[in-house]
């Protein structure tokens, strides 16, 4: 296993922690989920905000946090809410497994733990959707447990403070150890939040403001002139590109046909317009029309919709159609994909499809990528390909 390229110089942890806390007392960010100075926040609020903040910025989370809190002010209210309502309220925040885990954790805590949050890291990690970082953050902030919470921002600050040149992700355990060594005996929650604020406002990825940093004296990365190059990252793997077709259809009232995705997996339980499978290439026009949910005068919109997921990039061609009212019958195909005598292969028009009026789309449980697809279909710049198969009579 490769070693760090230079010996790590450790600052005095007591002095470093005291300096960071003194800085925090003056410069702490006012965030909606933070308790006033000297007070400890309710576990429910800490947990809600920490789940929302996973891979999402504080600016993006603030409105969602306030909305959730006003609709479901405590764990019992959230546990009693229908999952579909929670997913709809989460719509646009991304990483939808978080919303499902939030809801299922709420039910576990309310029903199996008498509404009391676990107070240990191990207990918190047993809840769905809570990993080491989130458990550490909740334990420290809500219960003042001396537990480091080292996310990507904290990793950056610690890699610079200690001048760790080992690449990520190999350096993670070492950075976590350093974070734990710095933790003070008291004010664990403040220390964790101070590290978050330092990473967000001073020790930023580019051009860290070292002159105004409470760790400017002890920061080894600054002294060696390499701070901005840290943390080092291993070679990034190119994300594969997937392509497919989506079908945005309106009925005579302007309502849009949406289908519920399976509960498990990517965007689980969320709504989407009918989609074909995702593959390396776009389907041909004939293939796309075979993937369509039913026969209709489909037109392909100009351009494509692009969206980046964590592990792949997606490009979607959007087909649109208008039908008179309600659901036309699904296309029936045989195994070669021809319309004909066999039962439908994609019976999406059964229980999990519904027509949503356009004015209600804003409140529907639609992830961002599906909103982009629907907007593209509804605001299409014109057809490139017109129908090749006429609508089937109902
Ligand atoms: S001195 Fe500069 S590089 Fe070091 S922790 Fe502070 S802001 Fe980051």
């Amino acid at each position: 296993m490769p070693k760090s390229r230079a010996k790590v110089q450790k600052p005095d942890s007591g002095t470093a922690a005291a300096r960071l806390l003194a800085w925090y007392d003056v410069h702490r960010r006012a965030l909606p989920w933070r308790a006033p100075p000297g007070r400890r926040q309710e576990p429910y609020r800490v947990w809600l905000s920490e789940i929302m903040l996973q891979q999402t910025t504080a600016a993006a989370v603030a409105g969602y946090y306030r909305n959730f809190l006003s609709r479901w002010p405590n764990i019992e209210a959230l546990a009693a809410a229908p999952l579909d309502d929670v997913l709809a309220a989460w719509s646009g925040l991304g990483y939808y497994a978080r919303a499902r885990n939030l809801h299922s954790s709420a039910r576990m805590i309310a029903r199996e733990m008498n509404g009391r949050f676990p107070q240990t890291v191990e207990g918190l990690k047993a809840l769905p959707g809570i990993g080491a970082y989130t458990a550490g953050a909740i334990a420290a902030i809500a219960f003042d447990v001396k537990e480091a919470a080292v996310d990507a921002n904290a990793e950056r600050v610690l890699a610079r403070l200690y001048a760790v040149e080992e690449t990520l992700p190999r350096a993670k355990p070492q950075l976590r150890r350093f974070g734990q060594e710095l933790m003070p005996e008291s004010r664990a929650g403040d220390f964790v939040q101070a590290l978050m604020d330092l990473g967000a406002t001073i020790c930023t990825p580019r051009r860290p403001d070292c002159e105004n940093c409470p760790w400017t004296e002890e920061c080894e990365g600054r002294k060696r002139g390499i701070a901005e190059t840290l943390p080092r990252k291993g070679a990034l793997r190119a994300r594969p590109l997937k392509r497919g077709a989506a079908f945005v259809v309106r009925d005579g009232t302007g309502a849009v046909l949406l289908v519920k995705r399976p509960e498990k997996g990517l965007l689980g339980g969320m709504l989407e317009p009918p989609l074909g499978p995702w593959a390396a290439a776009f389907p041909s026009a004939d293939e796309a029309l075979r993937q369509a949910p039913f026969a209709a005068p489909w037109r392909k919109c100009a351009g494509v919709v692009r969206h980046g997921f964590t592990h792949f990039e997606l490009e979607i061609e959007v087909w649109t159609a208008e039908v008179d009212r309600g659901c036309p019958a699904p296309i029936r195909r045989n195994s070669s994909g021809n319309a004909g005598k066999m039962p439908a292969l994609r019976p999406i028009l059964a229980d999990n499809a519904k027509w949503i009026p356009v004015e209600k789309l804003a409140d529907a449980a639609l992830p961002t990528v599906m909103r982009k697809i629907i907007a593209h279909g509804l605001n299409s710049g014109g057809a490139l390909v017109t129908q090749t198969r006429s609508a089937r009579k109902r």
Side-chain angles (χ1 to χ4, degrees):
M1 182 163 142
K3 293 193 172 126
S4 298
R5 288 164 203 162
K7 190 168 182 325
V8 170
Q9 297 292 322
K10 291 191 181 179
D12 177 77
S13 56
T15 307
R19 283 192 171 144
L20 183 63
L21 286 169
W23 173 84
Y24 180 70
D25 288 341
V26 177
H27 298 286
R28 71 202 298 276
R29 289 178 295 171
L31 296 169
W33 42 87
R34 287 238 168 114
R39 300 259 303 275
R40 206 179 291 169
Q41 186 55 283
E42 287 174 35
Y44 174 69
R45 295 180 180 215
V46 177
W47 167 69
L48 183 59
S49 63
E50 286 302 327
I51 301 292
M52 288 184 164
L53 286 162
Q54 289 170 348
Q55 292 162 301
T56 310
T57 63
V61 163
Y64 285 89
Y65 174 81
R66 289 197 187 95
N67 181 43
F68 262 67
L69 213 54
S70 74
R71 290 183 68 175
W72 303 297
N74 52 46
I75 195 81
E76 288 78 16
L78 186 58
L83 175 60
D84 283 351
D85 288 1
V86 175
L87 289 172
W90 197 274
S91 172
L93 200 53
Y95 298 99
Y96 295 91
R98 293 182 298 171
R100 290 196 304 279
N101 287 332
L102 190 82
H103 188 252
S104 103
S105 292
R107 295 202 157 171
M108 275 174 74
I109 295 165
R111 294 172 186 175
E112 296 166 27
M113 304 176 191
N114 293 324
R116 289 173 58 83
F117 273 82
Q119 299 197 10
T120 63
V121 169
E122 287 316 310
L124 288 161
K125 274 162 71 177
L127 295 171
I130 296 193
Y133 167 75
T134 306
I138 297 171
I141 299 169
F143 305 114
D144 217 31
V145 175
K146 189 182 164 188
E147 183 71 26
V150 179
D151 66 352
N153 282 320
E155 280 173 358
R156 180 176 63 255
V157 180
L158 294 168
R160 291 170 175 179
L161 177 65
Y162 291 88
V164 174
E165 295 189 67
E166 180 62 274
T167 54
L168 288 171
R170 209 189 292 268
K172 278 176 180 285
Q174 185 183 31
L175 293 172
R176 197 177 180 290
R177 260 197 324 278
F178 288 159
Q180 190 65 42
E181 283 172 20
L182 280 176
M183 292 287 292
E185 287 305 320
S186 61
R187 298 189 67 189
D190 283 349
F191 182 85
V192 163
Q193 292 175 98
L195 198 53
M196 291 173 184
D197 284 10
L198 192 69
T201 62
I202 298 281
C203 195
T204 47
R206 291 195 191 145
R207 303 171 75 174
D209 184 8
C210 299
E211 279 183 23
N212 290 306
C213 177
W215 284 343
T216 193
E217 274 186 38
E218 42 269 282
C219 180
E220 200 60 25
R222 183 193 65 76
K223 286 186 218 163
R224 295 187 200 175
I226 58 170
E228 199 169 344
T229 70
L230 302 175
R232 306 248 200 267
K233 296 196 175 142
L236 290 178
R237 259 195 244 149
R239 287 186 296 181
L241 175 62
K242 297 185 183 181
R243 290 173 156 152
F247 301 89
V248 175
V249 57
R250 277 182 290 187
D251 73 1
T253 68
V256 177
L257 180 66
L258 298 180
V259 187
K260 190 170 182 183
R261 291 179 66 85
E263 294 293 341
K264 297 231 153 100
L266 183 73
L267 310 176
M270 303 294 285
L271 296 172
E272 64 184 13
L275 295 169
W278 298 343
F282 289 118
S284 67
D286 279 352
E287 282 169 344
L289 290 166
R290 282 196 291 273
Q291 294 170 3
F294 45 75
W298 293 103
R299 298 182 310 167
K300 188 164 85 169
C301 303
V304 297
V305 174
R306 294 191 175 82
H307 190 80
F309 288 94
T310 310
H311 300 297
F312 65 95
E313 296 283 337
L314 182 65
E315 288 184 350
I316 293 288
E317 287 181 335
V318 181
W319 294 74
T320 62
E322 292 186 20
V323 295
D324 285 344
R325 179 170 285 275
C327 286
I331 293 175
R332 294 181 178 276
R333 305 185 188 92
N334 59 27
S335 55
S336 66
N338 298 321
K341 307 142 193 159
M342 300 292 286
L345 293 178
R346 300 182 64 231
I348 63 135
L349 302 179
D351 298 344
N352 61 347
K354 50 188 168 186
W355 294 91
I356 304 284
V358 168
E359 65 274 13
K360 295 209 166 147
L361 287 177
D363 297 326
L366 281 162
T368 302
V369 57
M370 302 307 168
R371 290 187 184 278
K372 282 155 78 173
I373 289 170
I374 292 167
H376 191 76
L378 297 182
N379 306 315
S380 161
L384 290 180
V385 178
T386 52
Q387 70 178 87
T388 57
R389 181 182 287 160
S390 59
R392 192 184 178 88
K393 289 212 169 116
R394 274 168 276 153

